[in-house]
Amino acid sequence: MSTVVVEAEKKVAEEEKGGELLFCGATCWDTIGRKKGPVEGNLVSPTRLRPLIGVNIRFVASGCASCHCVALDVEGRCYTWGRNEACLDFEFDKGQLGHGDMIQRDRPTVVSELSKFKVVRAGAGRNHTVVVTEDGQSLAFGWNKHGQLGSGSVRNEIESSPVRCLVSDVKTTACGAEFTVWLSSVEGSSILTAGLPQYGQLGHGTDNEYNTKDSSVRLAYEAQPRPKSIASLAGDTIVKVACGTNHTVAVDTNGYVYTWGFGGYGRLGHREQKDEWVPRRVDVFQRHNVLPPDAIVSAGSVNSACTAGGGQLYMWGKLKSTGDDWMYPKPLMDLSGWNLRCMDSGSMHHFVGADNSCISWGHAQYGELGYGPMGQKSSAVPKKVDILEGMHVISVACGMGHSMVIVDRTNVADRLEQLDIHDGKGSGEGTKEPEGQHPVAKQTSKKKGPAKASDSSKKRKKAKDSSEDEDEDDGDDDNSDNSDELVNGHSEPKSKRGGKVSSRGRGKGAQTAPAGEKRGRGRPPSANKSSRPPAGGKTGTGKRGRPRKS
């Protein structure tokens, strides 16, 4: 039996057994990314969460744009906690925790409406959450303005309880800020996307841009609420996927890597900063350097990563707040020789489970690297998380300002007992704890502060050569009813499936702005536009050697 097969079987067994969830980073969910200066309540060391003590967690999910968390236990229960709203310029919440209300939860709480399902996978966007059940169904909740829930409709801009996604035979899912990707076992439709198409991150060859009015230069992007398979990958079977804020990384059964979406900082790995509207193969991972079946794929907000031959970790994009960007995949020599089993990336930080160590690095503000009260806050090079040394990490997940780690309890129960325990604040009505766990004290939800202008409502600035601008220019959508819903890109009568009335966002005055007015976006290959040159000619490589202790 090959080593790859053995490792795959071992990973499945670890997931089935589960482990202890540890958390580090910010716990003041309403201030992450908003308030300057010190924020109270940060957990700077990996910490146990009171409601999940003794619960066997098999999978955790967050996202580089997410201020909320998802955890799944071995019984298939889904726990969510964190921010339940996101846009500062609106006086309403987003419901991305799925509890049917708008109450922020500081403690992991079971999503009761998913209790009849066994949830095995999940993804988290900026304001939405998507889950996958054992029988291949997918459900989603949260903000749906751009159709990122994949329900076929944008009629309800907020879905605070789970709704069905129009996909079938789903294996896993991943979420960008305002879009969702599903991997399916349906032949010819192995990858489907829905949501915001602004930078081509859906992979369908267009950004669906239109002018809000015939006489206006204000641009908007047509919502894509129906999951649609990516036509250019119909002949390939995609088996791995990861999403950054506005870009996607995918791997097929041949070990080829594809990227598409926003191209700033070289995060697509094509030696240029042009946006890609259809999947484009990364030339570094071809011929003798294709990815093995047990490869790891990760995407941060402005960077991407994967393991290739021999388990070597490659990264590309913006890796540090200063210095040159890596315009194409380059090996991170600091981690050469390590057996990487899992990895995830947050906004600008990374967590890796390797051998019997946990390694983290990147720019951090809230203790999300887990180095402890005496450790440094950020690190430009990979370093061990000392308190977890000798522990076997099953899975990791990174979000905005926080990190989660699942560790195997075998032979380390006494060490886990010595870790701090975070109780969290009670979240008020609607809170439901798992049976046998500590009850949640009731507390009214916090009042919101004054509304501020959010990134999503700012007018788009003229993009620079470095493609720094990812601000979104939202437009209103009119919805028209449609008698059939699409499942995996094919028409299916509504009577066969549950869900809401289908509708498709249509822009008024679909006249496209002249080419000169389209600011800072790439063009489809057919447009035959010259691409922007890479910013800077130099790229740096990491230092050699193993991660050092703090």
Side-chain angles (χ1 to χ4, degrees):
M1 188 179 292
S2 69
T3 304
V4 171
V5 173
V6 171
E7 287 295 326
E9 291 181 350
K10 184 177 179 182
K11 187 173 182 179
V12 171
E14 287 176 351
E15 278 194 3
E16 290 299 327
K17 184 175 70 169
E20 184 85 14
L21 186 147
L22 305 177
F23 179 98
C24 57
T27 60
C28 294
W29 301 102
D30 53 346
T31 62
I32 299 173
R34 299 173 174 175
K35 184 178 179 181
K36 300 295 183 182
V39 177
E40 295 181 358
N42 296 337
L43 303 177
V44 297
S45 295
T47 303
R48 305 168 85 191
L49 302 180
R50 177 78 67 184
L52 297 181
I53 291 178
V55 178
N56 293 317
I57 300 298
R58 65 177 295 187
F59 186 84
V60 282
S62 192
C64 56
S66 305
C67 294
H68 67 288
C69 306
V70 186
L72 311 177
D73 68 15
V74 295
E75 303 298 326
R77 287 177 293 218
C78 177
Y79 305 77
T80 62
W81 68 102
R83 187 180 290 177
N84 208 23
E85 54 82 28
C87 283
L88 299 176
D89 56 344
F90 295 128
E91 289 298 329
F92 52 76
D93 298 330
K94 295 296 186 263
Q96 57 261 44
L97 300 187
H99 301 296
D101 56 38
M102 308 301 178
I103 301 172
Q104 176 174 295
R105 281 166 169 76
D106 294 332
R107 294 175 171 179
T109 308
V110 172
V111 180
S112 59
E113 290 199 29
L114 293 175
S115 59
K116 61 183 178 181
F117 302 98
K118 183 174 183 179
V119 182
V120 295
R121 285 290 182 271
R126 178 174 286 144
N127 312 318
H128 75 290
T129 305
V130 183
V131 301
V132 177
T133 66
E134 187 178 44
D135 59 358
Q137 298 182 65
S138 183
L139 301 99
F141 35 93
W143 202 32
N144 192 41
K145 178 172 183 178
H146 307 289
Q148 57 261 55
L149 300 190
S151 62
S153 171
V154 289
R155 184 177 299 279
N156 292 333
E157 193 166 284
I158 298 173
E159 299 284 5
S160 60
S161 296
V163 296
R164 295 290 183 95
C165 308
L166 300 185
V167 290
S168 62
D169 301 313
V170 181
K171 295 189 295 185
T172 191
T173 187
C175 298
E178 274 96 27
F179 71 102
T180 303
V181 179
W182 293 267
L183 295 189
S184 165
S185 58
V186 176
E187 186 175 353
S189 298
S190 64
I191 180 167
L192 304 98
T193 60
L196 179 69
Q198 181 173 356
Y199 302 98
Q201 60 264 50
L202 300 188
H204 300 310
T206 177
D207 63 357
N208 282 92
E209 178 187 272
Y210 65 92
N211 290 92
T212 53
K213 296 180 181 178
D214 289 342
S215 59
S216 172
V217 296
R218 186 168 183 263
L219 303 175
Y221 302 87
E222 184 181 358
Q224 303 294 298
R226 290 191 179 93
K228 179 182 177 183
S229 61
I230 298 179
S232 64
L233 294 176
D236 303 286
T237 300
I238 302 299
V239 292
K240 299 177 188 293
V241 67
C243 296
T245 304
N246 287 307
H247 78 287
T248 307
V249 184
V251 183
D252 68 11
T253 50
N254 296 316
Y256 296 140
V257 179
Y258 302 84
T259 60
W260 62 95
F262 193 85
Y265 300 114
R267 74 195 77 179
L268 300 185
H270 301 308
R271 304 174 189 265
E272 57 186 352
Q273 301 196 71
K274 181 171 68 70
D275 298 354
E276 299 290 344
W277 294 1
V278 293
R280 179 177 172 185
R281 192 178 293 178
V282 180
D283 58 14
V284 173
F285 304 110
Q286 298 187 79
R287 294 178 290 277
H288 302 296
N289 195 31
V290 296
L291 270 59
D294 60 346
I296 299 165
V297 181
S298 175
S301 59
V302 289
N303 48 59
S304 307
C306 69
T307 54
Q312 175 64 56
L313 179 64
Y314 287 75
M315 299 192 72
W316 58 99
K318 186 176 181 65
L319 304 185
K320 303 176 184 178
S321 54
T322 59
D324 295 327
D325 308 324
W326 289 15
M327 301 300 297
Y328 60 93
K330 300 169 68 174
L332 191 69
M333 303 311 295
D334 301 76
L335 292 175
S336 295
W338 286 80
N339 176 28
L340 276 61
R341 290 190 313 279
C342 54
M343 175 181 179
D344 199 22
S345 301
S347 180
M348 277 294 286
H349 79 287
H350 317 278
F351 246 83
V352 166
D355 296 319
N356 285 320
S357 297
C358 194
I359 299 164
S360 65
W361 72 100
H363 177 72
Q365 301 182 59
Y366 307 101
E368 56 263 47
L369 296 182
Y371 294 150
M374 305 304 292
Q376 61 197 76
K377 184 177 290 186
S378 298
S379 175
V381 296
K383 291 178 58 177
K384 292 180 181 179
V385 180
D386 289 338
I387 200 170
L388 299 180
E389 184 61 17
M391 294 189 186
H392 182 85
V393 175
I394 297 174
S395 183
V396 295
C398 297
M400 183 176 286
H402 63 272
S403 307
M404 294 180 285
V405 182
I406 304 175
V407 297
D408 190 339
R409 295 190 184 92
T410 306
N411 302 324
V412 295
D414 55 336
R415 292 182 57 191
L416 290 174
E417 290 293 332
Q418 298 172 16
L419 298 182
D420 292 337
I421 297 174
H422 178 65
D423 286 288
K425 299 176 183 177
S427 54
E429 74 231 46
T431 300
K432 180 179 179 181
E433 289 289 340
E435 188 174 340
Q437 300 301 319
H438 297 262
V440 176
K442 290 191 175 183
Q443 177 178 317
T444 56
S445 59
K446 297 177 182 178
K447 294 182 180 179
K448 296 190 192 70
K452 303 177 183 177
S454 74
D455 287 343
S456 62
S457 64
K458 293 178 181 177
K459 292 184 178 179
R460 298 191 60 194
K461 300 176 183 177
K462 185 174 181 180
K464 302 177 183 178
D465 283 348
S466 60
S467 295
E468 292 177 4
D469 183 23
E470 287 183 76
D471 289 342
E472 165 195 330
D473 192 5
D474 293 333
D476 297 328
D477 297 302
D478 294 330
N479 301 316
S480 57
D481 293 339
N482 198 314
S483 58
D484 288 338
E485 296 175 338
L486 294 184
V487 179
N488 286 19
H490 301 289
S491 179
E492 181 173 308
K494 284 188 295 182
S495 59
K496 294 184 180 180
R497 295 179 67 87
K500 299 186 178 295
V501 177
S502 300
S503 64
R504 185 180 181 91
R506 295 290 181 190
K508 298 179 181 178
Q511 175 183 340
T512 305
E517 292 180 15
K518 293 187 178 182
R519 303 181 293 278
R521 279 172 295 283
R523 296 289 175 263
S526 60
N528 196 26
K529 297 284 184 180
S530 59
S531 60
R532 285 170 287 196
K538 297 181 180 180
T539 51
T541 57
K543 298 178 182 178
R544 290 183 175 272
R546 297 167 74 85
R548 65 170 184 256
K549 295 185 178 181
S550 56

